[in-house]
Amino acid sequence: MFGTGRASTEEKLDISLRHHSATEAQTEAQIRRLLKEYDLARWLFTRSIVIDEESIPHSHPVLTLHTRHLKDDDLLLSTFVHEQLHWFLEQQNDATAAAVKDLEVLFPNVPVGFPEGADTKHASYEHLLVNYLEYSADKQLLGELRARKVMDFWSTDHYSWIYRTILERPRELGEIIAKHGLIPPMSHPKRSTP
């Protein structure tokens, strides 16, 4: 179980470094600082984190971050929350599957592959959910203007169609999220601990 305070949340994370490089150590310090600065308890669903300067960020089997955003706290924070949200959706498997079915009707032809979409059609649909929730979290954590800057950057960096769609059609996506109850609770005592 995670604590509710910022310090207790930060202390309960198990962060390991893949190569023990200087940039990985700096990224760990940056994450720990951000965990003290922002109340991320609502968006923490796994406590095991790996920092790997040679890896693309991913959520499973262990949440893995890279060192690319050492000079941009907002981008690292958004990436961290994004990967945590994959764990949230996995915990809501039935609701996530139902939301994906609704997305398939709304967007029958999603892009697959970099830079527009994710690796598979299903992953592109799931990322519509994850990235929408990421933007929502960013707005709460960073404020509207900074969150929009992050989303504008992502929309030219990766998942570009997905991020653009979130910015262009937030009402429809928000309705699907709400319909299936895919909104992280304000507090949640049970966490995955892998």
Side-chain angles (χ1 to χ4, degrees):
M1 182 187 311
F2 282 72
T4 56
R6 291 176 190 173
S8 62
T9 299
E10 184 269 336
E11 290 165 4
K12 296 204 181 285
L13 287 183
D14 176 20
I15 301 176
S16 61
L17 308 180
R18 178 79 169 106
H19 305 282
H20 300 281
S21 68
T23 56
E24 288 177 355
Q26 291 167 347
T27 300
E28 177 185 9
Q30 183 183 14
I31 282 287
R32 291 197 184 277
R33 178 176 48 78
L34 291 170
L35 286 160
K36 288 178 183 174
E37 186 175 338
Y38 296 95
D39 185 359
L40 296 174
R42 183 178 184 188
W43 297 282
L44 293 178
F45 298 94
T46 181
R47 66 181 183 89
S48 295
I49 314 294
V50 173
I51 299 172
D52 182 350
E53 64 191 3
E54 296 178 4
S55 183
I56 294 172
H58 55 276
S59 59
H60 287 74
V62 177
L63 193 153
T64 302
L65 300 171
H66 54 35
T67 60
R68 176 180 176 204
H69 302 303
L70 265 175
K71 297 186 183 201
D72 195 315
D73 285 352
D74 290 356
L75 293 179
L76 181 61
L77 184 69
S78 190
T79 300
F80 179 73
V81 169
H82 173 106
E83 301 306 341
Q84 288 283 349
L85 287 165
H86 279 289
W87 285 86
F88 168 70
L89 290 181
E90 179 183 70
Q91 294 169 7
Q92 311 298 320
N93 195 42
D94 291 343
T96 299
V100 165
K101 286 189 181 307
D102 286 353
L103 291 171
E104 290 171 344
V105 172
L106 186 60
F107 303 105
N109 298 306
V110 295
V112 175
F114 180 82
E116 295 284 308
D119 292 342
T120 66
K121 191 172 185 178
H122 180 80
S124 287
Y125 285 119
E126 187 173 295
H127 274 89
L128 282 166
L129 302 172
V130 169
N131 298 11
Y132 178 91
L133 292 170
E134 173 190 358
Y135 186 29
S136 178
D138 286 356
K139 286 188 281 189
Q140 291 175 50
L141 294 165
L142 303 171
E144 180 69 39
L145 292 176
R146 286 168 59 195
R148 178 61 190 238
K149 281 182 69 175
V150 168
M151 293 300 113
D152 285 341
F153 176 80
W154 292 147
S155 72
T156 63
D157 185 66
H158 67 288
Y159 302 145
S160 54
W161 177 86
I162 297 168
Y163 280 110
R164 282 194 315 271
T165 300
I166 287 160
L167 294 173
E168 293 166 2
R169 299 179 72 177
R171 183 185 56 78
E172 293 157 292
L173 292 165
E175 287 171 357
I176 290 171
I177 295 273
K179 173 184 173 183
H180 297 288
L182 292 173
I183 299 167
M186 293 305 286
S187 64
H188 42 106
K190 290 189 175 185
R191 310 278 185 191
S192 293
T193 55

